[in-house]
Amino acid sequence: MRKRRLGALVAAVVAVLSVGFPATASASPVDPMDSGHCEIGYLCVYSGNSFSGSKHRVYECGYIHNIGLDWGSDQVASYINNQTGNVEATFYNWTGSKWVPIGYSEAPEFESSAPYHFYDKPDGVDGIKAC
């Protein structure tokens, strides 16, 4: 009789283990290239790391966008280059008399923690040429 109870207990444990336990909630990795973060065709810059804080989108090619004036901030702590056609964006610093390139990004690309010099005032990113 004892063997039968032990066998039933083992069978019950095996049955429970084979069914498994409910999965615990876990955060899935965020895909920065998902259009929910930065629409296709745009270069998006963020004031915080990991695509947080305030966001500014740049689309038009051919000229330098003064993000200090357009956005009200030149603190680029992260960015998503979701432009098409493998175009290259250029990040600039304004020296007081001219625009000086300080970084580049070839689409598609993202950086959840931009280089320190991108947001190190006064030498951080002041302007962006999207393509």
Side-chain angles (χ1 to χ4, degrees):
M1 180 88 157
R2 189 163 203 213
K3 284 186 180 182
R4 212 178 297 168
R5 281 188 204 164
L6 183 57
L9 179 61
V10 169
V13 170
V14 169
V16 168
L17 292 177
S18 67
V19 170
F21 296 98
T24 57
S26 65
S28 58
V30 174
D31 180 4
M33 302 308 280
D34 180 330
S35 63
H37 291 280
C38 186
E39 297 83 350
I40 293 173
Y42 285 85
L43 170 67
C44 300
V45 294
Y46 300 83
S47 62
N49 286 331
S50 300
F51 325 110
S52 64
S54 60
K55 171 183 170 182
H56 183 67
R57 302 176 314 149
V58 177
Y59 179 81
E60 298 86 8
C61 297
Y63 69 95
I64 298 172
H65 298 262
N66 184 332
I67 64 172
L69 293 177
D70 298 344
W71 184 26
S73 175
D74 52 4
Q75 297 288 298
V76 176
S78 57
Y79 64 86
I80 300 171
N81 187 348
N82 208 7
Q83 298 177 95
T84 58
N86 297 329
V87 296
E88 185 174 75
T90 306
F91 297 90
Y92 292 90
N93 175 256
W94 176 251
T95 66
S97 59
K98 64 181 178 176
W99 292 105
V100 177
I102 62 171
Y104 303 91
S105 170
E106 185 175 327
E109 178 186 54
F110 63 88
E111 191 63 56
S112 62
S113 182
Y116 181 71
H117 66 275
F118 272 34
Y119 53 93
D120 179 29
K121 283 193 172 193
D123 299 321
V125 174
D126 296 313
I128 301 169
K129 189 172 188 179
C131 40

